[in-house]
């Protein structure tokens, strides 16, 4: 069955959505028909025959991704954690696009955040040293992750001011495009005024290893 349509701009688009868990449900999926050797198409095939082969390959590939969403999601969650540690972004602050009268965003555990406030209720900053908020998690070293903790376990133990689930719930699916066995995705979020996960691009490789290639 052919699951690919050609739009008015000549792009090949997948007819169904693909749900990748916390990355979102993708409705915009472009298939690179010039990079489909992986589908074992042959030059002497008819156009219809080629589209059937390509549809079969990517139909199976997308089903595999959906079945492996927990593995894929965990890699993305670990990237979020390491990214936060790398840049020490003050994610507890509202960004310029964020609205509301609350002191902290919904994904901040306020009772835990109070530990980092001074007597005036302001978050303590020391520009000459790593942020107090990140001190505990950086001491643990999420890269080596010697205790083999999951992303949620790391946050619960070493960054308890963050409600990771509420943060990732703000992520919205953008688009997917294919290149042979590589699946390229784009997601975004309005958290932190769009400055933390504005336009996040990544690749899922043949073995379902995920790599974030660009962010904001």
């Amino acid at each position: 069955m052919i699951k690919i349509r050609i739009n008015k701009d000549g792009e090949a688009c997948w007819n169904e959505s693909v749900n990748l868990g916390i990355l979102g449900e993708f409705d915009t999926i472009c298939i690179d028909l010039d990079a489909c050797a992986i589908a074992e198409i042959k030059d002497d095939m008819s156009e219809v025959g080629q589209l059937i082969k390509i549809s079969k390959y990517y139909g199976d590939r997308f089903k595999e991704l959906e079945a492996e969403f927990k593995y894929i999601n965990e890699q993305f969650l670990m990237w979020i954690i390491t990214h936060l540690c790398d840049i020490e972004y003050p994610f507890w602050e509202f960004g310029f696009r964020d609205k509301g009268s609350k002191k902290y965003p919904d994904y901040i555990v306020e009772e835990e955040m109070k530990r980092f406030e001074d007597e005036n209720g302001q978050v303590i900053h020391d520009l000459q040293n790593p942020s107090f908020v990140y001190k505990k998690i950086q001491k643990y070293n999420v890269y080596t992750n010697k205790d083999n903790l999951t992303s949620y376990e790391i946050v619960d133990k070493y960054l308890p001011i963050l409600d990771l689930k509420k943060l990732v719930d703000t992520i919205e699916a953008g688009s997917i495009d294919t290149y042979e066995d590589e699946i390229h995705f784009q997601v975004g979020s309005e958290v932190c005024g769009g400055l933390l996960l504005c336009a996040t691009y990544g690749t899922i490789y043949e073995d379902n290893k995920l790599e974030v290639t660009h962010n904001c």
Side-chain angles (χ1 to χ4, degrees):
M1 179 185 297
I2 296 175
K3 297 182 179 180
I4 297 170
R5 70 181 187 279
I6 310 299
N7 67 20
K8 61 182 179 181
D9 296 322
E11 283 186 312
C13 302
W14 194 249
N15 269 337
E16 299 177 350
S17 62
V18 175
N19 192 322
L20 296 183
I22 64 168
L23 296 177
E25 185 165 357
F26 294 81
D27 296 315
T28 303
I29 303 170
C30 297
I31 307 295
D32 188 341
L33 295 180
D34 294 325
C36 285
I38 192 71
E40 298 182 352
I41 60 174
K42 301 187 183 303
D43 292 337
D44 60 355
M45 286 181 176
S46 67
E47 182 178 344
V48 170
Q50 290 183 352
L51 289 176
I52 290 174
K53 291 279 285 186
I54 294 168
S55 293
K56 175 66 168 62
Y57 173 80
Y58 283 111
D60 290 344
R61 184 74 178 102
F62 292 144
K63 285 180 182 177
E64 178 188 15
L65 293 179
E66 290 183 324
E68 294 293 320
F69 81 93
K70 290 183 180 179
Y71 175 61
I72 292 167
N73 286 180
E74 179 63 10
Q75 294 176 81
F76 190 74
L77 289 170
M78 287 299 295
W79 172 79
I80 290 177
I81 293 170
T82 55
H83 180 61
L84 286 171
C85 290
D86 283 343
I87 65 176
E88 292 190 12
Y89 195 88
F91 57 88
W92 50 90
E93 296 179 357
F94 282 102
F96 65 90
R97 297 181 200 167
D98 295 313
K99 297 178 181 179
S101 58
K102 293 183 64 176
K103 185 174 182 180
Y104 295 114
D106 290 340
Y107 50 83
I108 296 300
V109 181
E110 292 200 34
E111 288 303 310
E112 293 291 341
M113 197 68 214
K114 289 178 181 178
R115 301 171 186 267
F116 302 98
E117 296 177 351
D118 61 20
E119 62 276 10
N120 297 315
Q122 301 299 310
V123 179
I124 301 169
H125 287 286
D126 182 352
L127 298 179
Q128 304 303 315
N129 292 290
S131 167
F132 293 112
V133 171
Y134 288 101
K135 188 173 181 180
K136 191 175 181 181
I137 193 171
Q138 287 177 328
K139 185 177 180 181
Y140 172 67
N141 191 338
V142 293
Y143 289 97
T144 57
N145 192 13
K146 64 182 179 63
D147 295 332
N148 197 30
L149 302 176
T150 68
S151 55
Y152 285 103
E153 288 171 337
I154 289 173
V155 170
D156 287 346
K157 190 170 184 179
Y158 297 107
L159 197 63
I161 72 163
L162 175 63
D163 187 323
L164 186 56
K165 185 180 185 307
K166 285 185 178 179
L167 176 67
V168 300
D169 281 348
T170 68
I171 295 173
E172 296 180 357
S175 61
I176 281 176
D177 62 83
T178 69
Y179 185 86
E180 296 291 4
D181 56 10
E182 294 182 358
I183 306 298
H184 305 285
F185 66 87
Q186 185 267 317
V187 296
S189 170
E190 290 295 313
V191 295
C192 303
L195 297 177
L196 182 60
L197 303 168
C198 174
T200 305
Y201 294 83
T203 299
I204 303 171
Y205 297 101
E206 181 183 15
D207 57 1
N208 293 330
K209 291 288 181 65
L210 179 148
E211 178 187 15
V212 173
T213 55
H214 178 76
N215 183 60
C216 298

